[in-house]
Amino acid sequence: MWDRLRTAAGQHSRWLRIPLPAGPGCCAVCRGPAGPGFLCCFQCSLHRQGAAGMLADIVVPVSYSVAGTEYARLLWLYKSDVPQQDAAGRLLRALLLVFLHDHGPCVWARAGIAAPSHVAVVPSGRGRPGAHPLRALVEPYLALPWADLVIDPAEPVQARDLRPGRFRAPGRLAGATVLLLDDTWTSGASAQSAAVALKLSGARRVAVVTLGRHVNPRDRTAHSLAAMLAGRFFRPDLCAVHGVVA
């Protein structure tokens, strides 16, 4: 199975941009664009202030999702009701599963755990009702119990900020170590709100793996990071996590 998945994932290699090491201009939390000379982006700084000690223990983007690229288009297609949706989803699934199989142990080690005990997805939000497409893609392939998250009905339909009460986990997760999957990290508010909900339910550690860390080269803060990504292609023979976590 893994040979077949690697072959499918290999179709992405020319589109993927592996994350840069943390440093000035590249956020230490999410590997997104930070202001010149800053080690943490504006959004992640706000999250730390709003939920200190309750956020994800590690955030690992599989690749950057640079606006206007083929990979960004794939992420849009798989979430859209278009004829190409299924094909895009199969390619993304192969990429995510191969990443978790090959680099997962490094993610767990950097999160301070031996392996995850549960898996969860960031809920879609009431603005996109129904089952989350990412869970439907990978559930048959991950032999872990799912930690369900539900949306507080009092929350706004389109919440854009970190809100510790936005989600809740109905079941107790005392001592759990959770792999939290996200399909696109833009501000991180949804994923970090989900991480808070998991920890409030008793989870000991939360490791976020996201298919794409969004970067828009048209944004002034993101422009220099986008330029640094030129020619930085995915290398399946190297551990992408070591380039993500300082």
Side-chain angles (χ1 to χ4, degrees):
M1 180 182 80
W2 292 109
D3 288 341
R4 176 169 50 83
L5 287 173
R6 283 193 182 88
T7 298
Q11 298 178 49
H12 288 282
S13 296
R14 66 187 184 278
W15 304 325
L16 299 179
R17 299 294 181 271
I18 58 175
L20 296 167
C26 188
C27 180
V29 176
C30 70
R31 294 308 186 270
F38 287 87
L39 296 177
C40 191
C41 70
F42 177 73
Q43 292 291 344
C44 287
S45 297
L46 285 182
H47 298 161
R48 284 173 166 173
Q49 295 172 26
M54 298 299 289
L55 302 177
D57 297 279
I58 187 173
V59 177
V60 182
V62 173
S63 171
Y64 288 109
S65 173
V66 182
T69 64
E70 181 64 17
Y71 189 61
R73 189 180 77 89
L74 275 176
L75 284 166
W76 176 82
L77 284 174
Y78 114 94
K79 290 184 284 187
S80 304
D81 187 17
V82 296
Q84 303 98 317
Q85 177 190 44
D86 290 344
R90 287 194 296 271
L91 285 170
L92 291 169
R93 175 174 58 203
L95 176 65
L96 179 59
L97 292 175
V98 168
F99 178 88
L100 292 175
H101 181 269
D102 292 353
H103 305 310
C106 295
V107 178
W108 324 145
R110 293 303 180 102
I113 63 177
S117 64
H118 293 72
V119 62
V121 295
V122 179
S124 296
R126 290 189 294 122
R128 188 175 73 180
H132 195 291
L134 188 53
R135 175 166 178 170
L137 276 178
V138 301
E139 185 167 18
Y141 298 87
L142 298 180
L144 289 171
W146 282 81
D148 293 315
L149 290 165
V150 297
I151 303 167
D152 187 323
E155 286 293 299
V157 172
Q158 296 291 348
R160 299 299 186 192
D161 303 320
L162 173 70
R163 300 171 68 91
R166 183 176 172 189
F167 307 119
R168 59 184 176 84
R172 290 296 300 165
L173 296 166
T177 53
V178 184
L179 165 62
L180 179 61
L181 302 176
D182 187 26
D183 49 20
T184 305
W185 179 293
T186 301
S187 70
S190 294
Q192 293 289 24
S193 296
V196 171
L198 292 167
K199 289 201 169 181
L200 287 174
S201 190
R204 181 169 57 89
R205 293 280 191 273
V206 177
V208 175
V209 173
T210 180
L211 276 169
R213 174 47 174 101
H214 180 73
V215 174
N216 188 347
R218 292 185 294 275
D219 294 341
R220 185 173 58 183
T221 303
H223 182 75
S224 59
L225 184 143
M228 287 189 288
L229 292 174
R232 188 179 172 85
F233 296 106
F234 177 73
R235 286 276 304 277
D237 56 319
L238 298 178
C239 179
V241 177
H242 293 161
V244 173
V245 183

